[in-house]
């Protein structure tokens, strides 16, 4: 939809990007989403993975909120590829911190997270669009 297109453009217009659920395994969705954003926005994308040191050569952080030392909450875009129960918690933390651009990748959404982001009137992308499709990402690995 046009509204969704505008949401995606606003998301991609942010200064910094965090990928929650980024994976070191190149076969996994969490790694592909990270690589897709990284190729589109080099130097602006940070993987969030408490168990890994780095992904694709970029140092990991443990929480997307760590980036709020560098950018305002409305300049941070967060892509989420986590199990729905984790997504609920992540989205609550983001909304409390004032983050306004959140993209729940297909399969990561939870009813609670969708409801909370609707209530907060933020730019939440969910229930459909996949960042890999939107960015025309083709995996050559």
């Amino acid at each position: 939809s046009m509204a969704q297109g505008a949401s995606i453009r606003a998301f991609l217009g942010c200064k910094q990007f965090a990928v929650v659920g980024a994976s070191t395994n190149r076969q996994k969705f969490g790694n592909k989403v990270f690589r897709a954003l990284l190729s589109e926005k080099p130097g602006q994308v940070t993987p969030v993975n408490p168990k890994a040191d780095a992904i694709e050569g970029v140092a990991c952080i443990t929480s997307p909120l760590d980036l709020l030392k560098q950018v305002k909450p409305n300049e941070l875009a967060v892509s989420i590829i986590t199990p729905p129960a984790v997504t609920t918690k992540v989205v609550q933390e983001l909304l409390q911190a004032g983050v306004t651009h959140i993209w729940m990748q297909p399969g990561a959404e939870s009813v609670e997270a969708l409801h909370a982001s609707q209530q907060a009137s933020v730019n939440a992308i969910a229930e459909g669009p996949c960042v890999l499709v939107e960015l025309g990402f083709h995996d050559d690995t």
Side-chain angles (χ1 to χ4, degrees):
S1 71
M2 273 173 64
Q4 205 153 52
S7 291
I8 290 167
R9 280 193 300 278
F11 182 96
L12 292 173
C14 286
K15 286 191 179 167
Q16 287 289 330
F17 299 84
V19 179
V20 182
S23 168
T24 53
N25 179 345
R26 291 196 121 212
Q27 303 305 312
K28 289 207 164 162
F29 196 43
N31 179 282
K32 293 177 192 220
V33 167
F34 177 66
R35 280 190 283 140
L37 280 168
L38 193 62
S39 63
E40 190 82 8
K41 304 282 178 181
Q44 294 173 264
V45 190
T46 306
V48 180
N49 184 328
K51 297 188 183 99
D53 291 330
I55 296 174
E56 303 293 325
V58 183
C60 291
I61 56 176
T62 56
S63 164
L65 303 183
D66 294 353
L67 291 172
L68 297 178
K69 298 180 189 103
Q70 304 164 32
V71 290
K72 298 188 187 98
N74 66 349
E75 297 171 332
L76 174 64
V78 183
S79 179
I80 305 174
I81 315 100
T82 51
V86 177
T87 302
T88 298
K89 193 170 158 290
V90 171
V91 168
Q92 282 167 344
E93 288 173 358
L94 292 173
L95 294 175
Q96 279 163 359
V99 173
T100 55
H101 295 277
I102 301 170
W103 192 337
M104 294 172 245
Q105 298 303 317
E109 309 103 326
S110 71
V111 174
E112 295 83 1
L114 289 170
H115 183 71
S117 49
Q118 281 158 0
Q119 292 292 102
S121 301
V122 297
N123 179 30
I125 304 162
E127 299 185 293
C130 166
V131 73
L132 301 183
V133 175
E134 296 297 331
L135 296 179
F137 181 75
H138 297 289
D139 200 354
D140 50 10
T141 56

